[in-house]
Amino acid sequence: MKKIVLTESQYGRLQTNLLEMTMRSYIFDWDDNILYMPTTIKMDYKTGLGWVPIDVTTSQFASIRNNKDFKLRGDDPKIAFADFRASEPFLRDVRQAIDFRQFAPSADKFKEALIYANPFAINTARGHKPEVLKEGVKLFVDLVLGRDEKKFMIDNIRKTLPLSKGLDDEQVVDLYLDEMGEYYPVSSDEFGKRFNLGASAADPEEAKKVAIEHFTKKVFDSAKKLVNSDYKKFSVGFSDDDLGNVRAVEEFVENELNKMYPEIHFVVYDTSDKGKRKMVIEKE
């Protein structure tokens, strides 16, 4: 398999050529990919006087998680990641991140996907209930999209989803988020039960691959049921700021998804360095 790394302008030209007859769909990690969230992980730090409590951001955690001078608060993941499972802290932190314009590298692509009513998925190691992630997306729509952008989004939804007929604008948006959105909090009890994986996020790379395969199948199987169903090509883009997840997905696409779905054009977005590196995964 060959991987081609494209510049922003090169990918823009490729996207323009494919846009007309391509059904585009996207899978987004949330933290440090769509928004820089203020949610912190509760940890203990080893000093000469013993262990002292310290709260760290997700980006800080990525750099110290294997450092022996840091450990989860009380060696208990439920305590350390409490704000990554409860509903209120997530919605509070989404508002705060947007208010302070803490937009991460994939925020613009996420906004574009919403405006064009593309199928999308939120694929995150958080442990919230799926409906809480949906509420976070609704906040993004309400607080980030301008009036004209929201109108364009609603027009696109009405063109795409027959069930939107007779609904008011708020109901149309809600229908889109239900029908075209998928929410995969891979460390939640709901995710574990849904895919018979248990409720552990000890291996988020594997759990995220389960979500990616499920979403890809859903998009491909449902494409012909849409009003604008005369698609000749399909594309699925995946973006994540965790380099381990990015590499795992590259290998998953190369070794499995490309063979399962030869009709689909796969793109991986690496946002690990607070930028966007796009990789088109070519087929043999």
Side-chain angles (χ1 to χ4, degrees):
M1 300 290 179
K2 290 193 295 183
K3 291 175 285 186
I4 301 175
V5 179
L6 302 179
T7 65
E8 191 79 28
S9 61
Q10 288 173 328
Y11 189 78
R13 290 195 296 272
L14 174 62
Q15 187 181 49
T16 298
N17 291 335
L18 295 176
L19 180 60
E20 284 301 316
M21 300 306 296
T22 300
M23 179 179 180
R24 298 178 297 160
S25 53
Y26 301 94
I27 305 166
F28 297 93
D29 176 42
W30 188 271
D31 288 85
D32 304 327
N33 187 55
I34 292 176
L35 292 173
Y36 293 116
M37 299 279 281
T39 318
T40 57
I41 300 160
K42 297 173 175 59
M43 302 193 73
D44 293 327
Y45 174 60
K46 188 176 183 180
T47 70
L49 299 176
W51 294 94
V52 297
I54 183 174
D55 293 347
V56 302
T57 65
T58 53
S59 59
Q60 290 170 331
F61 179 73
S63 65
I64 65 172
R65 61 189 305 175
N66 296 317
N67 188 323
K68 294 181 180 179
D69 289 333
F70 293 87
K71 67 177 184 177
L72 300 182
R73 181 76 51 82
D75 293 314
D76 189 340
K78 289 184 178 179
I79 295 175
F81 294 99
D83 287 350
F84 288 82
R85 298 182 68 86
S87 302
E88 192 277 330
F90 177 68
L91 299 177
R92 174 201 66 205
D93 290 349
V94 169
R95 284 184 177 276
Q96 182 176 326
I98 293 173
D99 286 345
F100 287 91
R101 303 195 61 78
Q102 294 297 300
F103 298 113
S106 290
D108 287 344
K109 182 60 68 175
F110 182 50
K111 179 179 177 180
E112 176 188 299
L114 295 172
I115 290 173
Y116 283 92
N118 297 133
F120 73 91
I122 303 300
N123 193 8
T124 173
R126 283 176 173 265
H128 307 293
K129 294 180 182 297
E131 54 265 31
V132 175
L133 295 182
K134 177 191 167 185
E135 288 302 312
V137 175
K138 287 181 70 174
L139 278 177
F140 190 97
V141 171
D142 290 339
L143 300 177
V144 177
L145 272 62
R147 183 177 61 182
D148 291 343
E149 291 171 328
K150 195 175 296 185
K151 181 180 183 304
F152 188 62
M153 173 189 180
I154 291 169
D155 288 344
N156 284 326
I157 297 170
R158 292 188 185 280
K159 293 174 185 176
T160 303
L161 296 177
L163 292 176
S164 63
K165 186 176 181 179
L167 301 181
D168 62 33
D169 288 352
E170 184 175 350
Q171 291 172 323
V172 167
V173 171
D174 204 54
L175 175 69
Y176 163 69
L177 296 182
D178 282 335
E179 294 293 319
M180 304 288 274
E182 279 284 350
Y183 310 93
Y184 302 109
V186 302
S187 64
S188 68
D189 295 340
E190 289 78 7
F191 183 86
K193 292 175 182 176
R194 182 180 184 185
F195 296 102
N196 196 29
L197 297 175
S200 173
D203 195 348
E205 292 176 7
E206 291 302 315
K208 285 194 171 189
K209 287 194 288 187
V210 170
I212 290 168
E213 182 175 350
H214 178 266
F215 178 73
T216 301
K217 184 178 187 303
K218 174 188 173 181
V219 168
F220 187 75
D221 289 348
S222 63
K224 299 302 180 182
K225 299 177 184 179
L226 302 177
V227 172
N228 294 326
S229 61
D230 191 23
Y231 294 110
K232 299 187 182 301
K233 297 179 181 179
F234 304 85
S235 72
V236 174
F238 169 84
S239 65
D240 202 303
D241 69 293
D242 187 298
L243 193 54
N245 289 334
V246 170
R247 289 171 175 166
V249 171
E250 284 184 73
E251 293 179 1
F252 185 48
V253 171
E254 289 176 353
N255 299 331
E256 299 187 43
L257 292 184
N258 264 346
K259 297 173 184 177
M260 295 168 63
Y261 299 99
E263 307 90 343
I264 295 180
H265 173 83
F266 289 98
V267 180
V268 177
Y269 298 77
D270 172 12
T271 61
S272 60
D273 290 325
K274 297 189 176 181
K276 275 194 297 186
R277 187 170 68 100
K278 302 180 181 68
M279 290 159 284
V280 178
I281 313 298
E282 281 200 334
K283 304 181 188 299
E284 290 184 337

